Amino acid sequence: MGILKWSRSKSPWLIHFNTGGCNGCDIELLAALTPKYDVERFGIVLEGSPRHADVMAVTGPVTRQVRKRLRRIYDQMPEPKFVVAIGSCALTGAPFGDCYNVLGGTEKQIPVDVYVPGCPPRPEAIIDGIAKLLGKMESSDDDDGE
Amino acid sequence: MLDTVVIPLVMFLIFPGVAFLLAMAFFLEWIDRKTVARIQRRYGPLHTGPSGILQPFADFLKLLQKEDIIPTGVDKKVFILAPILISALPLTALFLIPFAGPSALVWFEGDLFLIMFIFTLIVLVVFLAGYCTTSRFSVIGSSRAALQMLGYEIPMGLAMIGPALLAGSLSISGIGQWQMDNGIWTVLLQPLGFAILVTCMLAELEFVPFDIPEAETEIVGGWRTEYGGRKLALLKLGHDLELVLASALITALYLGGAQQIWIIPSIFVFLAKMLLVTLLFSLLRAVFARMSIAQMLSGMWKYMVPLAIIQILLIQLGIGG
Ligand code: SF4
């Protein structure tokens, strides 16, 4: 593993974006960032600005209104960037899937790297998902990410 | 040849020059993050190198290889220049600090004023860095940075003048030398000045409780919002260097500088003292919550400025002088 890839997998900075969920997943994601789980051990830091972030943690189904904003925030992140879809809603739209204002899961709008199922997933599951992403970063062959 | 070219070159580039200072910057950031984590009953960085000591370096390297975005609507020249200046200014100031032995790499009578000037210049560049991006978050953040400077600049200057009055020298190396000759630390004579300088340095470093210009919960990333990739890497490096500068300056002015204790070389004594100051910063950062800009300004003008003037008066009256 080259030193560049090493540095990338050791310092994933998160940005959190709720595309219209019920807030259950957000609470679990925030719980995963609290001192109890201490994700800073892996170098994970929550950043406010998409320009600073490497990993976008998306929760909730994509609604018609948020679609453009999701796309714009994704575009604002510098390459290489990764997306983690958290919760059943972000995967498929789940309970809100058939609503008139919902377009479905995240993957229809932007490329997703890791899926974390659950309604909502436990903080341990979220951390496990991000750890899987780090494993994927380390083993990927190309040097510009996904 | 050896004396005139090679040795000065090694001193400027390696020790106690650029390479040493960069290593110190990463090391102190690690100490700071680790201390805050331990106070919050966490581990902090753990898996990047032994005990996570390489974490700041990994962050830096990762940011360097990211895409370099220049948003539309920014003032390109300032946007490109500001990160370079923000990392270069503290580095320049650090050459004036006597790390090993009685005198610094560069020193002259009056370099204390140069340091004060550089501190002000850093804030000015921060203001420009935020202002040139025209993003609303950055503009709010940078105007807060400038406003904050109005609060802490005067007490900070007065607190730096205290040791200078005591030693009768306007150079940092001279003040360190005076403390070594008299075998006393300025902090014992002027504890008030020391407290004021530490408080003002917290504000200069934008540490909690004075992280108002980058208040993450209010204005996204503050004046840094639009910077990504290698520009952000330089901004973060500049901040780490500022941490080194702040702790080194406090050590040199108030904690006796690079004195030799028993057979321990002076550089290690200096580093140990710097570490202590950094621990103090981290402790304060971990136990306080952010103030609002109005609280900060009025607090500085109501308490810090009068206290700093009282300190100077005390010295003039011969108490602690
Ligand atoms: S997955 Fe469940 S908890 Fe998460 S946003 Fe959807 S409904 Fe809420």
Side-chain angles (χ1 to χ4, degrees):
Chain A
M1 186 170 46
I3 188 167
L4 294 181
K5 215 183 271 177
W6 167 83
S7 72
R8 206 185 299 154
S9 71
K10 288 298 182 194
S11 128
W13 290 358
L14 283 187
I15 176 169
H16 171 204
F17 189 47
N18 180 348
T19 55
C22 76
N23 231 330
C25 287
D26 306 300
I27 291 170
E28 298 298 319
L29 178 61
L30 290 186
L33 296 169
T34 53
K36 179 164 179 177
Y37 294 100
D38 187 22
V39 286
E40 205 190 353
R41 282 177 298 157
F42 309 110
I44 300 175
V45 181
L46 185 71
E47 284 290 332
S49 163
R51 298 248 192 254
H52 304 178
D54 311 291
V55 180
M56 185 172 183
V58 186
T59 58
V62 180
T63 61
R64 273 181 207 286
Q65 204 174 15
V66 91
R67 188 180 63 88
K68 258 196 206 151
R69 277 97 179 166
L70 175 67
R71 187 73 230 186
R72 196 189 307 153
I73 291 193
Y74 181 74
D75 288 341
Q76 280 175 346
M77 288 166 60
E79 293 278 357
K81 52 194 167 188
F82 306 90
V83 176
V84 183
I86 292 167
S88 308
C89 284
L91 265 53
T92 61
F96 306 114
D98 296 331
C99 290
Y100 66 94
N101 61 340
V102 167
L103 297 169
T106 313
E107 60 180 0
K108 287 187 190 156
Q109 313 300 331
I110 54 178
V112 176
D113 296 276
V114 172
Y115 300 87
V116 183
C119 180
R122 290 183 64 86
E124 288 92 337
I126 297 177
I127 295 171
D128 185 48
I130 294 174
K132 289 234 164 65
L133 175 70
L134 299 184
K136 207 174 153 183
M137 282 186 205
E138 279 175 15
S139 61
S140 68
D141 300 323
D142 61 328
D143 229 6
D144 338 291
E146 303 300 304
Chain B
M1 174 75 183
L2 191 73
D3 289 8
T4 50
V5 180
V6 179
I7 291 182
L9 208 64
V10 166
M11 279 176 84
F12 273 101
L13 290 181
I14 298 173
F15 181 85
V18 178
F20 167 73
L21 294 173
L22 292 187
M24 272 317 279
F26 290 137
F27 179 64
L28 285 193
E29 190 200 331
W30 174 72
I31 291 280
D32 173 54
R33 280 172 74 170
K34 206 73 180 168
T35 317
V36 172
R38 290 312 288 162
I39 292 170
Q40 294 174 344
R41 300 184 71 184
R42 300 188 283 123
Y43 280 98
L46 193 63
H47 298 301
T48 318
S51 299
I53 195 164
L54 293 178
Q55 187 65 51
F57 179 65
D59 289 348
F60 183 70
L61 212 61
K62 175 207 72 179
L63 285 172
L64 277 188
Q65 51 173 315
K66 292 206 73 154
E67 186 188 356
D68 193 23
I69 299 179
I70 298 183
T72 43
V74 304
D75 184 338
K76 261 194 200 144
K77 269 182 232 141
V78 185
F79 192 73
I80 292 170
L81 217 72
I84 299 173
L85 279 178
I86 283 175
S87 49
L89 283 173
L91 200 61
T92 315
L94 274 167
F95 284 122
L96 302 170
I97 305 273
F99 276 101
S103 64
L105 272 180
V106 185
W107 77 278
F108 50 89
E109 202 56 41
D111 57 12
L112 193 63
F113 285 122
L114 183 61
I115 287 245
M116 285 182 200
F117 174 68
I118 287 180
F119 272 125
T120 309
L121 212 57
I122 293 174
V123 181
L124 202 71
V125 177
V126 162
F127 177 74
L128 280 179
Y131 197 71
C132 78
T133 63
T134 62
S135 145
R136 66 202 79 175
F137 302 116
S138 304
V139 171
I140 294 176
S142 57
S143 57
R144 281 183 184 187
L147 208 58
Q148 181 161 293
M149 188 187 75
L150 294 181
Y152 69 76
E153 200 191 12
I154 290 171
M156 184 166 83
L158 287 177
M160 284 191 208
I161 287 297
L165 284 176
L166 190 63
S169 163
L170 272 177
S171 120
I172 298 163
S173 301
I175 294 168
Q177 186 65 47
W178 184 88
Q179 294 179 73
M180 271 178 253
D181 291 346
N182 290 274
I184 191 160
W185 293 6
T186 320
V187 63
L188 299 175
L189 301 171
Q190 307 172 2
L192 196 57
F194 176 73
I196 292 168
L197 191 57
V198 168
T199 317
C200 294
M201 281 299 172
L202 278 180
E204 171 75 38
L205 288 169
E206 299 181 359
F207 271 180
V208 183
F210 305 118
D211 63 334
I212 306 162
E214 53 179 311
E216 204 173 48
T217 41
E218 301 165 24
I219 46 174
V220 191
W223 56 272
R224 286 199 186 92
T225 303
E226 292 297 328
Y227 290 86
R230 67 185 85 125
K231 299 200 176 66
L232 186 64
L234 285 181
L235 292 185
K236 285 188 70 73
L237 181 69
H239 184 260
D240 292 347
L241 284 169
E242 235 182 302
L243 177 60
V244 179
L245 177 60
S247 51
L249 188 65
I250 291 179
T251 307
L253 291 185
Y254 275 97
L255 298 180
Q259 58 190 169
Q260 187 157 357
I261 298 178
W262 192 42
I263 53 163
I264 311 170
S266 52
I267 174 74
F268 290 115
V269 177
F270 194 89
L271 291 185
K273 289 175 188 169
M274 263 175 78
L275 221 58
L276 273 181
V277 179
T278 312
L279 288 180
L280 182 64
F281 284 149
S282 312
L283 177 73
L284 294 172
R285 179 161 99 89
V287 298
F288 282 114
R290 182 168 58 241
M291 292 178 172
S292 76
I293 184 83
Q295 280 171 329
M296 187 267 175
L297 273 177
S298 68
M300 281 288 175
W301 279 100
K302 271 187 203 151
Y303 304 109
M304 284 298 165
V305 175
L307 281 178
I309 293 173
I310 288 175
Q311 175 65 69
I312 298 289
L313 276 181
L314 283 179
I315 298 169
Q316 294 298 339
L317 293 175
I319 306 165

